[in-house]
Structures are given as C-alpha cells and as structure tokens.
Amino acid sequence: MLPALLDHLRRNRDFVSNVVAWERIPARPARTAALPDWLDPRLAAALRARGVDQLYTHQAAAVDAARRGENVVVATATASGKSLAYTLPVLQRLLERPDARALYLFPTKALAHDQEAETAALVAAARLPVPVHTYDGDTPRGKRSAVRAAGGVLITNPDMLHAGILPYHPSWRALFGRLEYVVVDEIHIYRGVFGSHVANVLRRLQRLCRFYGSDPRFICASATIANPQEHAERLIEQPFTLVDESQNGAPRGAKDFILYNPPIIDEDLGMRASTVLTAKDAAVTFLGHGVQTIVFARARQTVELLLGYVREDLAHQGRGDTFVAGYRGGYLP
C-alpha cells in the first residue's frame, strides 16, 4: 500500500513542485556478533528466552569496551538497541559485586519509568538478585529511605540528582562509595545553558564519588549527532570510546525522506501555507490509504489542533471509524 501511494505522490505535479528533497535510503540487513563469553548464564538464558541469541555489532562493541573499563558513548539510530549496550555490562558487574551500585540518568521522568520497567523485566526473567528503583519527585516520602538503603540500580534524572541527592550525600554514602557505573542517556539533549548546568552536576557527582572512594565508569547514549565523542568528553570531562553509526549492526527497512515546503500564498509578503494544515493534509492522505501514521508537533496546543483537524477531515470522508489519538505532556495517567 505504501509503495503505491509514494508512486502516486511522485506523479502528482502539484505535490512534487513543493518537494525540496526526496531521498530513499535502502534497507539494510542485520550484522551480529555472539553473546560475550563472560556473560552470566542467567542473563544469557533470559536474553535467549526473549529471542536474543546474538548481539548487534554495535552492542557487542559497546559491552566489550565497557567490560574493559572504558567510558563508552553509543551514538546510533533510534530503536537500534542502545539500552542493551549499557544494561548488560551493568547487570554483569552487579552480579560479580553484589554490594555495587549503578546510577541511570534520564532527562525526563517518563523515560526513567520506561527504563525501570524494561530493566526490571530483564532482571525478573533472569531471576537476578538485583533491585531496580526509581527516585524522582513522584517517589513517595515513605519509600525514599528504603530506596536510599537499597543496592542495585538507581534510576533518576539530573534535576533530582542536583536537588534531591547530591545535597544530602551523607544519606547516600553507600551509593557514592560503591558506584561502579553511571549511565547518561539522551546526552544530545544536554547542550547550551541546560547542558552546562548538567555538566556541573556531573562534576559534583564525580567529586563526591572520589570523596567516598569510588571511581565509576560512564556509559552514554546519544542520537546520531555530528560530534558524540567530543560532546560526551566535554560533558563528563573524561576520555570516551565511541561506538557510532559506522558500527551499527541493527537491521532497518527502506526509508523515504521527503522534505516538503508549503507553497507561497502571498508573494508580496513571502507567506507560505500553514505547516499545521499541510501536516494535517499529509496525515489524512496516508490514513485514507490505510497507512499507519504518526505526526509530531512542537507544542501541546498544536497537537490538540491537529488531532481535531484530522478527525474532522476523516469524518467528512466517511472514515470516522479510523482510530486517531493524541499523546502529549499534560495528559493524566
């Protein structure tokens, strides 16, 4: 269905006249490597039960570098399995040293809770004695002392680390004194003034680790930015080993990237047609042909506008039964 629709769009002169670029990226098969021989049999069995009997090449490169005690930054495409690249060395080390700790930092609470569920599921499947806890603004007061005392993996965000953990370091001495790994995900977000603040928080974290007698290794994950290694080294102030897109072994399907510039509707003012309405038209076109579609917007209000516009257009076409849902920050659970 999708190839036929794309061919139809290519033959549509009105559409193509406003296309600035159209690039097709071919499909790519997976490149794999064997599970490392140092991996605990329980972890290996849990992975195989999930259908993972091999690692992608970039995952293997990252876990081996982490195993050698290097700081690692993994910068590969979305959904390429970056989380497994830090989960395996972290869990392996916590099994080898039961009193050790690991700290995961995510930029948002939503990402932190997603990773808690994923890590806890792997721990449960392997039946590992490794506790996994989230510590953020939503953590109940009555549970916080138990989280501070627990070992294993602590998942939080830079704001909570800054305001709720570092200032109270005597209560967290077990964490700082036994910290083996710090995972910093989505490091491409930490730029500009915000990135400078986070860099200072990480500097304080490392100073307290040295004070309490630990020297953790860092594993960072990033989107495919131009300078991931340089960015990680400036953020953490330590040397890093880079695992990038050139080593990415994850498979991918063929992709078409179409850059569409809405037509000019007022030449004197140089005004173009609304990007919101253009996005709505594109979504309705794809949905009308049965193609699963996702539309992104930069503001919550725009999400709600698009949601209403798309539903309205589909209803006018007699396709009101097509499922269209909104998802944005601010929705209740």
Side-chain angles (χ1 to χ4, degrees):
M1 184 62 71
L2 182 58
L5 177 57
L6 293 176
D7 287 341
H8 171 74
L9 290 176
R10 279 189 184 278
R11 293 192 298 268
N12 186 325
R13 290 185 179 181
D14 290 338
F15 177 80
V16 172
S17 64
N18 295 299
V19 171
V20 229
W22 189 324
E23 182 175 350
R24 183 170 181 79
I25 298 179
R28 180 181 66 193
R31 293 182 293 149
T32 59
L35 292 174
D37 53 11
W38 45 260
L39 195 64
D40 188 281
R42 292 168 290 178
L43 262 176
L47 290 175
R48 292 190 176 101
R50 291 178 156 205
V52 180
D53 54 4
Q54 290 183 309
L55 297 179
Y56 296 134
T57 48
H58 67 283
Q59 293 173 329
V63 299
D64 285 342
R67 180 69 174 175
R68 293 193 298 268
E70 301 168 13
N71 297 313
V72 184
V73 55
V74 184
T76 54
T78 301
S80 58
K82 290 191 284 288
S83 61
L84 203 59
Y86 54 73
T87 301
L88 293 185
V90 166
L91 292 182
Q92 179 67 29
R93 184 57 180 152
L94 295 181
L95 289 173
E96 293 170 348
R97 184 188 169 192
D99 66 337
R101 306 289 179 90
L103 177 67
Y104 286 14
L105 295 176
F106 294 91
T108 65
K109 288 190 287 187
L111 283 171
H113 285 287
D114 285 347
Q115 190 58 48
E116 180 191 24
E118 181 65 24
T119 306
L122 181 58
V123 167
R127 298 182 179 180
L128 306 179
V130 178
V132 180
H133 294 286
T134 296
Y135 191 83
D136 57 32
D138 294 334
T139 305
R141 294 275 175 192
K143 187 181 174 183
R144 294 190 177 192
S145 58
V147 173
R148 283 195 294 269
V153 178
L154 179 70
I155 303 175
T156 188
N157 56 71
D159 293 304
M160 194 64 178
L161 179 64
H162 162 68
I165 297 178
L166 296 179
Y168 308 101
H169 56 89
S171 301
W172 292 91
R173 64 171 66 89
L175 171 70
F176 295 125
R178 302 168 187 169
L179 196 57
E180 291 279 342
Y181 280 109
V182 178
V183 172
V184 188
D185 201 3
E186 307 284 336
I187 64 166
H188 55 279
I189 290 176
Y190 303 129
R191 55 192 175 90
V193 174
F194 179 46
S196 298
H197 288 324
V198 173
N200 277 315
V201 170
L202 293 173
R203 184 181 296 171
R204 288 166 57 204
L205 169 64
Q206 294 180 76
R207 178 174 58 81
L208 284 170
C209 286
R210 289 192 295 270
F211 178 80
Y212 285 103
S214 69
D215 182 24
R217 298 296 88 200
F218 283 80
I219 306 176
C220 299
S222 170
T224 47
I225 57 176
N227 60 338
Q229 183 176 13
E230 177 192 0
H231 181 56
E233 290 178 345
R234 292 185 67 186
L235 188 68
I236 312 296
E237 297 180 325
Q238 291 194 39
F240 270 79
T241 297
L242 172 64
V243 177
D244 64 5
E245 194 62 30
S246 66
Q247 298 159 279
N248 188 358
R252 70 175 180 217
K255 298 178 183 179
D256 281 84
F257 283 87
I258 306 170
L259 300 184
Y260 182 90
N261 207 9
I264 292 178
I265 56 175
D266 188 324
E267 292 189 2
D268 293 335
L269 297 177
M271 287 179 59
R272 294 185 177 272
S274 164
T275 54
V276 174
L277 294 179
T278 301
K280 180 265 296 181
D281 290 340
V284 170
T285 298
F286 284 108
L287 289 169
H289 287 78
V291 177
Q292 203 171 31
T293 304
I294 183 168
V295 182
F296 291 95
R298 295 180 67 87
R300 297 178 182 185
Q301 184 181 23
T302 313
V303 170
E304 294 299 325
L305 285 172
L306 277 166
L307 180 62
Y309 291 159
V310 171
R311 284 175 171 170
E312 196 174 284
D313 269 27
L314 289 172
H316 287 160
Q317 295 178 12
R319 299 182 60 91
D321 58 341
T322 303
F323 177 75
V324 183
Y327 184 83
R328 61 166 175 78
Y331 281 159
L332 296 175

Coordinates of all heavy atoms in Angstrom, one line a residue, residues 111-161:
L111 N 10.9 8.7 30.6 CA 11.9 7.8 30.1 C 12.5 7.0 31.2 O 12.8 5.8 31.1 CB 13.1 8.7 29.5 CG 12.8 9.2 28.1 CD1 14.0 10.2 27.7 CD2 12.7 8.1 27.0
A112 N 12.6 7.6 32.4 CA 13.2 6.9 33.6 C 12.2 5.7 33.9 O 12.7 4.6 34.2 CB 13.3 7.8 34.7
H113 N 10.9 5.9 33.9 CA 10.0 4.9 34.3 C 9.9 3.8 33.2 O 9.8 2.6 33.5 CB 8.6 5.5 34.6 CG 8.5 6.2 35.9 ND1 8.4 5.5 37.1 CD2 8.5 7.5 36.2 CE1 8.4 6.4 38.1 NE2 8.4 7.6 37.5
D114 N 10.1 4.2 32.0 CA 10.1 3.2 30.9 C 11.3 2.3 31.1 O 11.2 1.0 30.9 CB 10.2 3.9 29.5 CG 8.9 4.5 29.1 OD1 7.9 4.1 29.7 OD2 8.9 5.3 28.1
Q115 N 12.5 2.9 31.4 CA 13.7 2.1 31.6 C 13.6 1.2 32.8 O 14.1 0.1 32.8 CB 14.9 3.0 31.6 CG 16.2 2.2 31.5 CD 16.3 1.4 30.3 OE1 16.1 1.9 29.2 NE2 16.8 0.1 30.4
E116 N 13.0 1.7 33.9 CA 12.8 0.9 35.1 C 12.0 -0.4 34.7 O 12.4 -1.5 35.1 CB 12.1 1.7 36.2 CG 11.9 0.9 37.4 CD 10.9 1.5 38.4 OE1 10.1 2.3 38.0 OE2 11.0 1.2 39.6
A117 N 10.9 -0.2 34.0 CA 10.1 -1.4 33.6 C 10.9 -2.3 32.8 O 10.8 -3.6 33.0 CB 8.9 -0.9 32.9
E118 N 11.7 -1.8 31.8 CA 12.5 -2.7 30.9 C 13.6 -3.4 31.7 O 13.7 -4.7 31.5 CB 13.1 -1.9 29.8 CG 13.9 -2.6 28.8 CD 13.1 -3.6 28.0 OE1 11.8 -3.4 27.9 OE2 13.6 -4.6 27.5
T119 N 14.3 -2.7 32.5 CA 15.4 -3.3 33.3 C 14.8 -4.3 34.3 O 15.4 -5.4 34.4 CB 16.2 -2.3 34.0 OG1 16.7 -1.3 33.1 CG2 17.4 -2.9 34.7
A120 N 13.7 -4.0 35.0 CA 13.1 -4.9 36.0 C 12.6 -6.1 35.3 O 12.7 -7.2 35.9 CB 12.0 -4.2 36.7
A121 N 12.1 -6.0 34.1 CA 11.6 -7.2 33.4 C 12.7 -8.2 33.0 O 12.6 -9.4 33.2 CB 10.9 -6.8 32.1
L122 N 13.9 -7.6 32.6 CA 15.0 -8.5 32.3 C 15.6 -9.1 33.6 O 15.9 -10.3 33.6 CB 16.1 -7.7 31.6 CG 17.4 -8.5 31.2 CD1 17.1 -9.6 30.3 CD2 18.4 -7.5 30.6
V123 N 15.6 -8.3 34.7 CA 16.1 -8.9 36.0 C 15.2 -10.0 36.5 O 15.6 -11.0 36.9 CB 16.2 -7.7 37.0 CG1 16.3 -8.3 38.4 CG2 17.3 -6.8 36.7
A124 N 13.9 -9.8 36.3 CA 12.9 -10.8 36.8 C 13.0 -12.0 35.9 O 12.9 -13.2 36.4 CB 11.5 -10.2 36.7
A125 N 13.2 -11.9 34.6 CA 13.3 -13.0 33.7 C 14.5 -13.9 34.0 O 14.5 -15.1 33.9 CB 13.3 -12.5 32.2
A126 N 15.6 -13.2 34.4 CA 16.8 -13.9 34.7 C 16.9 -14.3 36.2 O 17.8 -15.0 36.6 CB 18.0 -13.0 34.4
R127 N 15.9 -13.9 37.0 CA 15.8 -14.2 38.4 C 17.1 -13.7 39.1 O 17.8 -14.5 39.8 CB 15.6 -15.6 38.6 CG 14.2 -16.1 38.1 CD 14.0 -17.6 38.4 NE 12.7 -18.0 37.8 CZ 12.1 -19.2 37.9 NH1 12.8 -20.1 38.6 NH2 11.0 -19.5 37.4
L128 N 17.5 -12.5 38.8 CA 18.7 -11.9 39.4 C 18.4 -11.2 40.7 O 17.4 -10.6 40.9 CB 19.4 -10.9 38.4 CG 19.6 -11.4 37.0 CD1 20.3 -10.3 36.2 CD2 20.5 -12.6 37.0
P129 N 19.3 -11.3 41.7 CA 19.2 -10.6 43.0 C 19.6 -9.1 42.9 O 20.4 -8.7 43.7 CB 20.1 -11.4 43.9 CG 21.2 -11.9 43.0 CD 20.6 -12.1 41.7
V130 N 19.1 -8.4 41.9 CA 19.5 -7.0 41.6 C 18.2 -6.1 41.7 O 17.3 -6.2 40.9 CB 20.1 -6.9 40.3 CG1 20.4 -5.4 40.0 CG2 21.3 -7.7 40.1
P131 N 18.1 -5.3 42.8 CA 16.9 -4.4 42.9 C 17.1 -3.3 41.9 O 18.2 -2.8 41.6 CB 17.0 -3.9 44.3 CG 18.4 -4.1 44.8 CD 19.0 -5.3 44.0
V132 N 15.9 -2.8 41.4 CA 15.9 -1.7 40.5 C 14.9 -0.7 41.0 O 13.7 -1.0 41.2 CB 15.5 -2.1 39.1 CG1 15.4 -0.9 38.1 CG2 16.4 -3.2 38.5
H133 N 15.3 0.6 41.3 CA 14.4 1.6 41.9 C 14.5 2.9 41.1 O 15.5 3.2 40.6 CB 14.7 1.8 43.3 CG 14.5 0.7 44.2 ND1 13.3 0.2 44.6 CD2 15.4 -0.2 44.8 CE1 13.4 -0.8 45.4 NE2 14.7 -1.1 45.5
T134 N 13.4 3.6 41.1 CA 13.3 4.9 40.5 C 13.2 5.9 41.7 O 12.5 5.7 42.7 CB 12.1 5.1 39.6 OG1 12.2 4.3 38.5 CG2 12.0 6.6 39.1
Y135 N 14.0 7.0 41.6 CA 14.0 8.0 42.7 C 13.8 9.4 42.0 O 14.7 9.9 41.3 CB 15.3 8.0 43.5 CG 15.2 8.8 44.7 CD1 14.7 8.3 45.9 CD2 15.8 10.1 44.7 CE1 14.7 9.1 47.1 CE2 15.8 10.9 45.9 CZ 15.2 10.3 47.1 OH 15.2 11.1 48.2
D136 N 12.6 9.9 42.1 CA 12.3 11.2 41.5 C 11.2 11.9 42.3 O 10.9 11.5 43.4 CB 11.9 11.1 40.0 CG 10.6 10.2 39.8 OD1 9.8 10.2 40.7 OD2 10.5 9.6 38.8
G137 N 10.7 13.0 41.8 CA 9.7 13.8 42.6 C 8.4 13.1 42.9 O 7.7 13.5 43.8
D138 N 8.2 12.0 42.1 CA 6.9 11.2 42.4 C 7.1 10.1 43.4 O 6.2 9.4 43.7 CB 6.4 10.6 41.1 CG 5.9 11.7 40.1 OD1 5.6 12.8 40.6 OD2 6.0 11.5 38.9
T139 N 8.4 9.8 43.8 CA 8.6 8.8 44.8 C 8.0 9.1 46.1 O 8.4 10.2 46.7 CB 10.2 8.5 44.9 OG1 10.7 8.3 43.7 CG2 10.4 7.4 45.9
P140 N 7.2 8.3 46.7 CA 6.5 8.6 48.0 C 7.6 8.8 49.1 O 8.6 8.2 49.1 CB 5.7 7.4 48.3 CG 5.5 6.7 46.9 CD 6.7 7.0 46.1
R141 N 7.3 9.8 50.0 CA 8.2 10.1 51.1 C 8.5 8.8 51.9 O 9.7 8.6 52.3 CB 7.6 11.2 52.0 CG 7.4 12.5 51.3 CD 8.7 13.3 51.4 NE 8.5 14.6 50.7 CZ 9.6 15.4 50.4 NH1 10.8 15.0 50.7 NH2 9.4 16.5 49.7
G142 N 7.5 8.0 52.1 CA 7.7 6.8 52.9 C 8.6 5.8 52.3 O 9.2 4.9 53.0
K143 N 8.8 5.9 51.0 CA 9.6 4.9 50.3 C 11.0 5.4 50.1 O 11.9 4.6 49.7 CB 8.9 4.6 48.9 CG 9.5 3.5 48.1 CD 8.8 3.3 46.8 CE 9.6 2.2 46.0 NZ 8.9 2.1 44.6
R144 N 11.3 6.7 50.3 CA 12.6 7.2 49.9 C 13.7 6.6 50.7 O 14.8 6.4 50.2 CB 12.6 8.7 50.0 CG 11.6 9.3 49.0 CD 11.7 10.8 48.9 NE 10.8 11.4 47.8 CZ 10.9 12.6 47.3 NH1 11.8 13.5 47.8 NH2 10.1 13.0 46.4
S145 N 13.5 6.4 52.0 CA 14.6 5.9 52.8 C 14.9 4.5 52.4 O 16.1 4.1 52.4 CB 14.2 5.9 54.3 OG 13.0 5.2 54.5
A146 N 13.9 3.7 52.0 CA 14.2 2.3 51.5 C 15.0 2.3 50.2 O 15.8 1.5 50.0 CB 12.8 1.6 51.3
V147 N 14.7 3.3 49.3 CA 15.4 3.4 48.1 C 16.9 3.8 48.3 O 17.8 3.2 47.7 CB 14.7 4.4 47.1 CG1 15.6 4.7 45.9 CG2 13.4 4.0 46.7
R148 N 17.1 4.7 49.3 CA 18.5 5.1 49.6 C 19.3 3.9 50.2 O 20.5 3.8 49.9 CB 18.4 6.2 50.7 CG 18.1 7.6 50.1 CD 18.5 8.7 51.1 NE 17.6 8.6 52.3 CZ 16.5 9.2 52.5 NH1 16.0 10.0 51.5 NH2 15.8 9.1 53.6
A149 N 18.6 3.0 50.9 CA 19.3 1.9 51.5 C 19.5 0.7 50.5 O 20.4 -0.1 50.7 CB 18.6 1.4 52.7
A150 N 18.7 0.7 49.5 CA 18.7 -0.4 48.5 C 19.9 -0.4 47.7 O 20.5 0.7 47.4 CB 17.4 -0.5 47.7
G151 N 20.4 -1.5 47.2 CA 21.5 -1.6 46.3 C 21.0 -1.6 44.9 O 19.9 -1.2 44.5
G152 N 21.8 -2.2 44.0 CA 21.4 -2.4 42.6 C 21.4 -1.1 41.8 O 22.4 -0.3 41.8
V153 N 20.3 -0.9 41.0 CA 20.3 0.1 40.0 C 19.3 1.2 40.5 O 18.2 1.0 40.9 CB 19.7 -0.4 38.7 CG1 19.6 0.8 37.7 CG2 20.7 -1.5 38.1
L154 N 19.8 2.5 40.5 CA 19.0 3.6 40.9 C 18.8 4.5 39.6 O 19.8 4.9 39.0 CB 19.7 4.5 42.0 CG 18.9 5.7 42.4 CD1 17.7 5.4 43.2 CD2 19.8 6.7 43.2
I155 N 17.5 4.7 39.3 CA 17.2 5.5 38.1 C 16.6 6.8 38.5 O 15.7 6.9 39.3 CB 16.2 4.7 37.3 CG1 16.7 3.3 36.9 CG2 15.8 5.5 36.0 CD1 15.7 2.4 36.2
T156 N 17.2 7.9 38.0 CA 16.7 9.2 38.3 C 16.9 10.2 37.1 O 17.2 9.7 36.0 CB 17.4 9.7 39.6 OG1 16.7 11.0 40.0 CG2 18.8 10.0 39.4
N157 N 16.8 11.5 37.4 CA 17.1 12.5 36.3 C 18.0 13.5 36.9 O 18.2 13.6 38.1 CB 15.7 13.1 35.9 CG 14.9 13.7 37.0 OD1 15.3 14.7 37.6 ND2 13.8 13.0 37.4
P158 N 18.6 14.4 36.0 CA 19.6 15.3 36.5 C 19.0 16.3 37.5 O 19.8 16.7 38.5 CB 20.0 16.1 35.2 CG 19.8 15.1 34.1 CD 18.5 14.3 34.5
D159 N 17.8 16.7 37.4 CA 17.2 17.6 38.4 C 17.1 17.0 39.8 O 17.5 17.7 40.7 CB 15.8 18.0 37.9 CG 15.8 18.9 36.6 OD1 16.5 19.9 36.6 OD2 15.2 18.4 35.6
M160 N 16.7 15.8 39.8 CA 16.6 15.1 41.1 C 18.0 14.9 41.7 O 18.2 15.0 42.9 CB 15.8 13.8 41.0 CG 15.4 13.3 42.4 SD 14.2 14.4 43.2 CE 13.8 13.5 44.7
L161 N 18.9 14.5 40.8 CA 20.3 14.3 41.3 C 20.8 15.6 41.9 O 21.5 15.6 43.0 CB 21.2 13.9 40.1 CG 22.7 13.7 40.4 CD1 22.9 12.5 41.4 CD2 23.4 13.4 39.1

